[in-house]
Amino acid sequence: MLLLASYFFYMCWIPSFVFLIFGMTVFNWIMGNSISRASTHKKLLFGVGIAINLLTLAVFKYANFLLGSVGLNDWHMNIVLPLAISFFIFEFIHYLFEINKGNKPISSFILFALFAAFFPTQIAGPIKRYADFEKQMKEETKFQLTYLDEGIPLIIVGFAKKILLADTLAEFVSMGYVVPGSFGSLELWLFAYAFAFQIYFDFSGYTDIARGSAMLFGYNIPINFNMPYIASNISNFWHRWHISLSSWLRDYLFIPLGGSRNGHWQTNRNLFITMTLGGLWHGASWNFVVWGIYHGLVLIAHREFNAVQEKFVFLKDFFQSKIGNFLSIVLTFHIVCVGWVFFRLQNIQDAFFIVKRMLCFSPVFTAKEATSKQFLLLQDHLPVIVVVSLILTTFLLISNLPLSIIQENGILKKIPAPFVGAFCLILVFIMVVFLPDGNEPFIYFQF
Protein backbone atom coordinates (compact mmCIF):
# COMPACT_ATOMS: atom_id res chain seq x y z
CA MET A 1 0.00 0.00 0.00
CA LEU A 2 2.77 2.43 0.93
CA LEU A 3 4.66 1.69 -2.28
CA LEU A 4 1.59 2.30 -4.45
CA ALA A 5 0.78 5.45 -2.49
CA SER A 6 4.37 6.67 -2.92
CA TYR A 7 4.33 6.10 -6.68
CA PHE A 8 0.94 7.83 -6.94
CA PHE A 9 2.40 10.73 -4.96
CA TYR A 10 5.39 10.88 -7.30
CA MET A 11 3.15 10.86 -10.39
CA CYS A 12 1.07 13.83 -9.21
CA TRP A 13 3.53 16.26 -10.84
CA ILE A 14 4.73 14.66 -14.11
CA PRO A 15 3.41 11.07 -14.33
CA SER A 16 5.94 9.90 -16.93
CA PHE A 17 8.86 10.41 -14.53
CA VAL A 18 7.65 7.43 -12.50
CA PHE A 19 9.40 5.29 -15.13
CA LEU A 20 12.71 6.95 -14.18
CA ILE A 21 12.50 6.21 -10.46
CA PHE A 22 11.11 2.72 -11.17
CA GLY A 23 13.83 1.99 -13.74
CA MET A 24 16.60 3.19 -11.41
CA THR A 25 15.08 1.12 -8.61
CA VAL A 26 15.16 -2.05 -10.74
CA PHE A 27 18.74 -1.32 -11.85
CA ASN A 28 20.07 -0.70 -8.34
CA TRP A 29 18.25 -3.69 -6.85
CA ILE A 30 19.82 -5.96 -9.49
CA MET A 31 23.24 -4.32 -9.02
CA GLY A 32 23.05 -4.69 -5.24
CA ASN A 33 22.27 -8.39 -5.47
CA SER A 34 24.96 -8.88 -8.13
CA ILE A 35 27.64 -7.13 -6.05
CA SER A 36 26.65 -9.18 -2.99
CA ARG A 37 26.94 -12.50 -4.84
CA ALA A 38 30.01 -11.65 -6.93
CA SER A 39 33.20 -13.56 -6.18
CA THR A 40 35.08 -11.90 -9.05
CA HIS A 41 34.74 -8.51 -10.73
CA LYS A 42 33.05 -7.13 -7.60
CA LYS A 43 34.85 -3.79 -7.89
CA LEU A 44 33.90 -3.55 -11.55
CA LEU A 45 30.22 -4.12 -10.81
CA PHE A 46 30.35 -1.58 -7.99
CA GLY A 47 32.05 0.98 -10.26
CA VAL A 48 29.48 0.45 -13.02
CA GLY A 49 26.62 0.87 -10.53
CA ILE A 50 27.99 4.13 -9.12
CA ALA A 51 28.81 5.43 -12.61
CA ILE A 52 25.28 4.79 -13.96
CA ASN A 53 23.72 6.57 -10.97
CA LEU A 54 26.03 9.57 -11.33
CA LEU A 55 25.52 9.64 -15.10
CA THR A 56 21.75 9.70 -14.66
CA LEU A 57 22.04 12.58 -12.20
CA ALA A 58 24.47 14.41 -14.50
CA VAL A 59 22.26 14.12 -17.60
CA PHE A 60 19.09 15.36 -15.96
CA LYS A 61 20.56 17.94 -13.59
CA TYR A 62 23.86 19.15 -15.04
CA ALA A 63 23.83 18.62 -18.83
CA ASN A 64 22.79 22.17 -19.74
CA PHE A 65 25.01 23.65 -17.03
CA LEU A 66 28.07 21.79 -18.36
CA LEU A 67 27.29 22.71 -21.98
CA GLY A 68 26.88 26.37 -21.06
CA SER A 69 30.08 26.35 -19.00
CA VAL A 70 32.14 25.23 -22.01
CA GLY A 71 30.48 27.69 -24.37
CA LEU A 72 28.07 25.29 -26.09
CA ASN A 73 24.90 27.24 -25.32
CA ASP A 74 23.49 26.42 -28.77
CA TRP A 75 23.39 22.77 -27.72
CA HIS A 76 20.95 23.57 -24.90
CA MET A 77 18.55 20.65 -24.27
CA ASN A 78 14.98 20.96 -23.08
CA ILE A 79 15.39 18.84 -19.94
CA VAL A 80 12.96 19.01 -17.02
CA LEU A 81 14.54 18.18 -13.67
CA PRO A 82 12.76 15.08 -12.30
CA LEU A 83 11.24 15.36 -8.87
CA ALA A 84 13.57 14.35 -6.01
CA ILE A 85 16.30 12.95 -8.29
CA SER A 86 19.11 14.32 -6.10
CA PHE A 87 17.74 12.55 -3.04
CA PHE A 88 16.88 9.12 -4.40
CA ILE A 89 20.13 8.89 -6.41
CA PHE A 90 22.11 9.58 -3.22
CA GLU A 91 20.14 6.85 -1.45
CA PHE A 92 20.93 4.40 -4.25
CA ILE A 93 24.65 5.28 -4.10
CA HIS A 94 24.62 4.81 -0.32
CA TYR A 95 22.97 1.40 -0.81
CA LEU A 96 25.59 0.19 -3.31
CA PHE A 97 28.43 1.44 -1.08
CA GLU A 98 27.08 -0.52 1.89
CA ILE A 99 26.56 -3.71 -0.16
CA ASN A 100 30.11 -3.38 -1.49
CA LYS A 101 31.35 -3.21 2.13
CA GLY A 102 29.77 -6.60 2.79
CA ASN A 103 26.35 -5.72 4.20
CA LYS A 104 23.40 -7.82 3.09
CA PRO A 105 21.16 -6.44 0.31
CA ILE A 106 17.40 -6.04 0.69
CA SER A 107 16.00 -9.33 -0.62
CA SER A 108 12.47 -8.11 -1.35
CA PHE A 109 12.05 -5.87 -4.38
CA ILE A 110 8.89 -4.36 -2.85
CA LEU A 111 10.78 -3.31 0.27
CA PHE A 112 13.71 -1.95 -1.75
CA ALA A 113 11.34 0.05 -3.97
CA LEU A 114 9.64 1.49 -0.89
CA PHE A 115 13.02 2.48 0.58
CA ALA A 116 13.66 4.71 -2.45
CA ALA A 117 10.11 5.97 -3.03
CA PHE A 118 8.77 6.41 0.55
CA PHE A 119 6.62 9.49 0.02
CA PRO A 120 7.24 11.49 3.24
CA THR A 121 11.00 11.70 2.51
CA GLN A 122 10.74 11.41 -1.26
CA ILE A 123 11.02 15.05 -2.30
CA ALA A 124 13.53 16.65 0.06
CA GLY A 125 14.76 14.00 2.44
CA PRO A 126 16.05 13.40 5.02
CA ILE A 127 18.36 11.03 3.12
CA LYS A 128 17.65 7.63 4.67
CA ARG A 129 20.06 4.81 5.57
CA TYR A 130 18.75 1.51 4.26
CA ALA A 131 19.76 -0.66 7.23
CA ASP A 132 17.70 1.39 9.70
CA PHE A 133 14.77 1.73 7.31
CA GLU A 134 14.76 -1.96 6.37
CA LYS A 135 14.35 -2.97 10.01
CA GLN A 136 11.27 -0.79 10.29
CA MET A 137 9.80 -2.16 7.05
CA LYS A 138 10.20 -5.74 8.27
CA GLU A 139 8.67 -5.14 11.71
CA GLU A 140 5.21 -6.62 12.25
CA THR A 141 3.42 -3.43 13.28
CA LYS A 142 -0.24 -2.58 13.66
CA PHE A 143 -1.85 0.82 13.63
CA GLN A 144 -1.64 2.60 16.97
CA LEU A 145 -3.18 5.85 18.14
CA THR A 146 0.21 6.85 19.51
CA TYR A 147 1.31 7.27 15.87
CA LEU A 148 -1.20 10.12 15.62
CA ASP A 149 -0.16 11.55 18.99
CA GLU A 150 3.40 11.93 17.75
CA GLY A 151 2.86 12.60 14.04
CA ILE A 152 0.07 15.17 13.90
CA PRO A 153 1.64 17.74 16.27
CA LEU A 154 4.91 17.52 14.36
CA ILE A 155 3.09 18.10 11.06
CA ILE A 156 1.23 21.13 12.48
CA VAL A 157 4.42 22.61 13.92
CA GLY A 158 6.16 22.09 10.57
CA PHE A 159 3.40 23.90 8.72
CA ALA A 160 3.54 26.74 11.25
CA LYS A 161 7.27 27.15 10.68
CA LYS A 162 6.71 27.23 6.93
CA ILE A 163 3.59 29.40 6.72
CA LEU A 164 4.04 31.83 9.60
CA LEU A 165 7.81 32.24 9.66
CA ALA A 166 9.49 31.15 6.42
CA ASP A 167 6.88 32.57 4.01
CA THR A 168 6.64 35.85 5.93
CA LEU A 169 10.41 36.25 5.83
CA ALA A 170 10.40 35.34 2.12
CA GLU A 171 8.43 38.49 1.31
CA PHE A 172 11.02 40.63 3.06
CA VAL A 173 13.98 38.82 1.48
CA SER A 174 12.53 39.09 -2.04
CA MET A 175 11.90 42.78 -1.52
CA GLY A 176 15.49 43.32 -0.44
CA TYR A 177 17.07 41.63 -3.45
CA VAL A 178 15.08 43.44 -6.15
CA VAL A 179 17.73 46.16 -6.44
CA PRO A 180 20.45 44.93 -4.05
CA GLY A 181 23.04 47.44 -5.21
CA SER A 182 21.00 50.27 -3.74
CA PHE A 183 21.23 49.18 -0.12
CA GLY A 184 23.83 49.88 2.50
CA SER A 185 25.55 47.47 4.87
CA LEU A 186 22.86 47.55 7.57
CA GLU A 187 20.01 46.63 5.24
CA LEU A 188 22.02 43.93 3.50
CA TRP A 189 22.90 42.29 6.81
CA LEU A 190 19.19 42.38 7.74
CA PHE A 191 18.31 40.66 4.48
CA ALA A 192 21.01 38.05 5.11
CA TYR A 193 19.68 37.41 8.64
CA ALA A 194 16.16 37.14 7.25
CA PHE A 195 17.16 34.60 4.61
CA ALA A 196 19.15 32.59 7.16
CA PHE A 197 16.00 32.10 9.20
CA GLN A 198 13.78 31.75 6.13
CA ILE A 199 15.74 28.78 4.80
CA TYR A 200 16.03 27.28 8.28
CA PHE A 201 12.30 27.47 9.03
CA ASP A 202 11.45 26.45 5.44
CA PHE A 203 13.64 23.35 5.32
CA SER A 204 13.28 22.25 8.94
CA GLY A 205 9.51 22.85 8.61
CA TYR A 206 9.41 20.47 5.65
CA THR A 207 11.48 17.95 7.62
CA ASP A 208 9.01 18.15 10.50
CA ILE A 209 6.13 17.52 8.11
CA ALA A 210 8.00 14.57 6.55
CA ARG A 211 8.89 13.07 9.93
CA GLY A 212 5.36 13.58 11.22
CA SER A 213 3.85 11.99 8.10
CA ALA A 214 6.16 8.98 8.48
CA MET A 215 5.18 8.65 12.14
CA LEU A 216 1.52 8.25 11.12
CA PHE A 217 2.55 4.91 9.62
CA GLY A 218 4.86 3.93 12.47
CA TYR A 219 8.14 4.93 10.77
CA ASN A 220 10.80 6.93 12.60
CA ILE A 221 12.83 9.19 10.33
CA PRO A 222 15.99 10.73 11.86
CA ILE A 223 16.15 14.43 12.60
CA ASN A 224 17.81 16.61 9.99
CA PHE A 225 18.53 19.66 12.16
CA ASN A 226 19.82 20.21 15.67
CA MET A 227 19.72 23.92 16.48
CA PRO A 228 22.30 24.84 13.79
CA TYR A 229 22.51 28.54 14.61
CA ILE A 230 23.94 27.92 18.07
CA ALA A 231 26.93 26.11 16.55
CA SER A 232 30.21 27.36 18.02
CA ASN A 233 32.22 26.73 14.83
CA ILE A 234 31.62 25.94 11.16
CA SER A 235 32.41 22.24 11.59
CA ASN A 236 29.84 22.03 14.38
CA PHE A 237 27.36 23.86 12.13
CA TRP A 238 27.63 21.08 9.55
CA HIS A 239 26.98 18.51 12.28
CA ARG A 240 23.72 20.35 13.01
CA TRP A 241 22.52 21.51 9.56
CA HIS A 242 21.03 19.07 7.00
CA ILE A 243 22.51 16.25 9.04
CA SER A 244 21.57 13.50 6.58
CA LEU A 245 23.42 15.23 3.72
CA SER A 246 26.43 16.16 5.88
CA SER A 247 26.86 12.58 7.07
CA TRP A 248 26.35 11.27 3.51
CA LEU A 249 29.09 13.58 2.17
CA ARG A 250 31.39 12.47 4.98
CA ASP A 251 30.80 8.72 4.54
CA TYR A 252 30.58 8.45 0.75
CA LEU A 253 32.77 11.28 -0.51
CA PHE A 254 35.19 12.65 2.11
CA ILE A 255 36.25 9.25 3.53
CA PRO A 256 36.57 7.50 0.12
CA LEU A 257 38.75 10.42 -1.02
CA GLY A 258 41.08 9.59 1.85
CA GLY A 259 39.48 11.52 4.69
CA SER A 260 42.04 12.76 7.18
CA ARG A 261 44.29 9.70 6.92
CA ASN A 262 46.95 10.91 4.49
CA GLY A 263 48.35 14.03 6.04
CA HIS A 264 47.64 17.72 6.43
CA TRP A 265 47.49 18.89 2.82
CA GLN A 266 45.47 15.90 1.61
CA THR A 267 42.89 16.40 4.36
CA ASN A 268 42.39 20.03 3.37
CA ARG A 269 42.15 18.99 -0.27
CA ASN A 270 39.51 16.39 0.56
CA LEU A 271 37.51 18.93 2.58
CA PHE A 272 37.62 21.39 -0.31
CA ILE A 273 36.53 18.82 -2.92
CA THR A 274 33.76 17.47 -0.67
CA MET A 275 32.20 20.86 0.04
CA THR A 276 32.56 22.05 -3.57
CA LEU A 277 30.74 18.97 -4.85
CA GLY A 278 28.25 19.34 -2.00
CA GLY A 279 27.52 22.86 -3.24
CA LEU A 280 27.13 21.62 -6.81
CA TRP A 281 24.69 18.95 -5.58
CA HIS A 282 22.35 21.76 -4.53
CA GLY A 283 21.93 23.02 -8.09
CA ALA A 284 23.41 23.38 -11.56
CA SER A 285 24.53 26.97 -11.10
CA TRP A 286 27.81 28.71 -10.34
CA ASN A 287 26.40 30.38 -7.23
CA PHE A 288 26.03 26.94 -5.59
CA VAL A 289 29.56 26.01 -6.64
CA VAL A 290 30.89 29.23 -5.07
CA TRP A 291 28.81 28.54 -1.94
CA GLY A 292 30.39 25.09 -1.68
CA ILE A 293 33.89 26.49 -2.28
CA TYR A 294 33.27 29.13 0.39
CA HIS A 295 32.31 26.52 2.99
CA GLY A 296 35.25 24.35 1.98
CA LEU A 297 37.65 27.25 2.55
CA VAL A 298 36.01 28.17 5.85
CA LEU A 299 36.26 24.57 7.09
CA ILE A 300 39.95 24.54 6.13
CA ALA A 301 40.47 27.86 7.95
CA HIS A 302 38.73 26.44 11.03
CA ARG A 303 40.97 23.38 10.93
CA GLU A 304 44.09 25.53 10.65
CA PHE A 305 42.92 27.72 13.53
CA ASN A 306 42.42 24.62 15.69
CA ALA A 307 46.05 23.72 15.01
CA VAL A 308 47.10 27.21 16.13
CA GLN A 309 45.04 26.86 19.34
CA GLU A 310 46.89 23.66 20.19
CA LYS A 311 50.15 25.62 20.15
CA PHE A 312 48.82 28.60 22.13
CA VAL A 313 46.98 27.29 25.19
CA PHE A 314 45.63 30.74 26.18
CA LEU A 315 43.65 30.88 22.91
CA LYS A 316 42.16 27.46 23.55
CA ASP A 317 41.24 28.41 27.11
CA PHE A 318 39.61 31.63 25.95
CA PHE A 319 37.39 29.98 23.31
CA GLN A 320 36.37 27.31 25.81
CA SER A 321 35.20 29.98 28.26
CA LYS A 322 31.59 31.23 28.26
CA ILE A 323 32.52 34.56 26.67
CA GLY A 324 34.70 32.89 24.06
CA ASN A 325 31.99 30.33 23.27
CA PHE A 326 29.39 33.10 22.87
CA LEU A 327 31.66 35.07 20.54
CA SER A 328 32.31 31.86 18.57
CA ILE A 329 28.57 31.32 18.11
CA VAL A 330 28.05 34.91 16.93
CA LEU A 331 31.01 34.73 14.54
CA THR A 332 29.92 31.34 13.15
CA PHE A 333 26.39 32.62 12.54
CA HIS A 334 27.70 35.62 10.59
CA ILE A 335 30.07 33.42 8.56
CA VAL A 336 27.10 31.23 7.63
CA CYS A 337 25.02 34.32 6.72
CA VAL A 338 27.70 35.49 4.28
CA GLY A 339 27.54 32.07 2.63
CA TRP A 340 23.74 32.29 2.36
CA VAL A 341 24.12 35.32 0.06
CA PHE A 342 25.81 33.10 -2.54
CA PHE A 343 23.14 30.44 -2.00
CA ARG A 344 20.26 32.89 -2.45
CA LEU A 345 21.45 34.92 -5.47
CA GLN A 346 21.91 33.07 -8.75
CA ASN A 347 23.66 36.10 -10.27
CA ILE A 348 27.15 35.57 -8.94
CA GLN A 349 28.27 39.15 -9.67
CA ASP A 350 25.43 40.51 -7.52
CA ALA A 351 26.35 38.09 -4.75
CA PHE A 352 30.00 39.19 -4.67
CA PHE A 353 28.93 42.84 -4.78
CA ILE A 354 26.57 42.37 -1.82
CA VAL A 355 29.14 40.48 0.25
CA LYS A 356 31.70 43.21 -0.42
CA ARG A 357 29.22 45.87 0.69
CA MET A 358 28.27 43.87 3.79
CA LEU A 359 31.90 43.49 4.87
CA CYS A 360 33.00 47.01 3.91
CA PHE A 361 30.72 49.52 5.63
CA SER A 362 28.71 51.59 3.17
CA PRO A 363 26.10 54.33 3.72
CA VAL A 364 22.53 53.38 4.45
CA PHE A 365 20.24 53.23 1.44
CA THR A 366 22.03 54.78 -1.57
CA ALA A 367 19.20 54.64 -4.11
CA LYS A 368 19.92 56.01 -7.59
CA GLU A 369 18.69 53.68 -10.31
CA ALA A 370 15.65 52.42 -8.38
CA THR A 371 12.56 52.44 -10.61
CA SER A 372 10.42 49.47 -9.61
CA LYS A 373 7.21 50.02 -7.67
CA GLN A 374 8.37 47.49 -5.10
CA PHE A 375 11.60 49.39 -4.55
CA LEU A 376 9.86 52.80 -4.34
CA LEU A 377 7.51 51.36 -1.74
CA LEU A 378 10.52 50.15 0.21
CA GLN A 379 12.12 53.60 -0.10
CA ASP A 380 9.03 55.41 1.19
CA HIS A 381 8.69 53.17 4.21
CA LEU A 382 12.34 52.40 4.91
CA PRO A 383 12.51 53.73 8.51
CA VAL A 384 9.49 51.67 9.54
CA ILE A 385 10.78 48.58 7.67
CA VAL A 386 14.20 48.80 9.34
CA VAL A 387 12.65 49.06 12.83
CA VAL A 388 10.17 46.26 12.18
CA SER A 389 12.92 44.10 10.66
CA LEU A 390 15.13 44.58 13.70
CA ILE A 391 12.23 43.61 15.98
CA LEU A 392 11.39 40.61 13.76
CA THR A 393 15.00 39.45 13.60
CA THR A 394 15.32 39.74 17.39
CA PHE A 395 12.07 37.79 17.84
CA LEU A 396 13.27 35.06 15.50
CA LEU A 397 16.62 34.83 17.28
CA ILE A 398 14.82 34.44 20.60
CA SER A 399 12.21 32.02 19.26
CA ASN A 400 14.78 29.87 17.45
CA LEU A 401 15.94 28.11 20.61
CA PRO A 402 12.57 27.05 22.08
CA LEU A 403 11.20 26.14 18.63
CA SER A 404 14.25 24.00 17.93
CA ILE A 405 14.08 22.35 21.34
CA ILE A 406 10.39 21.52 20.82
CA GLN A 407 10.77 20.11 17.32
CA GLU A 408 14.28 18.74 17.10
CA ASN A 409 14.80 17.30 20.58
CA GLY A 410 11.46 15.55 20.97
CA ILE A 411 10.09 17.77 23.74
CA LEU A 412 6.53 17.30 22.40
CA LYS A 413 6.63 13.67 23.57
CA LYS A 414 7.20 14.80 27.16
CA ILE A 415 4.39 17.39 27.30
CA PRO A 416 0.98 16.18 28.58
CA ALA A 417 -1.48 15.49 25.75
CA PRO A 418 -4.03 18.24 26.65
CA PHE A 419 -1.30 20.88 26.47
CA VAL A 420 -0.04 19.55 23.13
CA GLY A 421 -3.61 19.60 21.79
CA ALA A 422 -4.17 23.17 22.95
CA PHE A 423 -0.83 24.22 21.50
CA CYS A 424 -1.70 22.68 18.11
CA LEU A 425 -5.15 24.32 18.07
CA ILE A 426 -3.60 27.72 18.77
CA LEU A 427 -1.09 27.21 15.95
CA VAL A 428 -3.84 26.20 13.50
CA PHE A 429 -5.90 29.26 14.49
CA ILE A 430 -2.91 31.59 14.04
CA MET A 431 -2.12 30.05 10.65
CA VAL A 432 -5.71 30.57 9.47
CA VAL A 433 -5.79 34.18 10.68
CA PHE A 434 -2.33 35.25 9.54
CA LEU A 435 -2.01 33.18 6.36
CA PRO A 436 0.29 35.14 3.98
CA ASP A 437 -1.10 36.34 0.65
CA GLY A 438 1.68 34.68 -1.34
CA ASN A 439 2.41 30.98 -1.70
CA GLU A 440 6.12 30.23 -1.55
CA PRO A 441 7.32 26.78 -2.67
CA PHE A 442 9.67 24.87 -0.37
CA ILE A 443 13.23 25.96 -1.14
CA TYR A 444 14.66 22.44 -1.28
CA PHE A 445 12.02 21.23 -3.76
CA GLN A 446 14.21 22.68 -6.55
CA PHE A 447 17.01 20.22 -5.76
Side-chain angles (χ1 to χ4, degrees), residues 37 55 163 204 261 346 437:
R37 293 194 301 264
L55 182 62
I163 293 171
S204 66
R261 299 189 300 270
Q346 193 164 2
D437 294 332

Side-chain angles (χ1 to χ4, degrees), residues 179-190:
V179 201
S182 298
F183 293 101
S185 300
L186 173 62
E187 298 97 339
L188 293 175
W189 275 110
L190 285 174

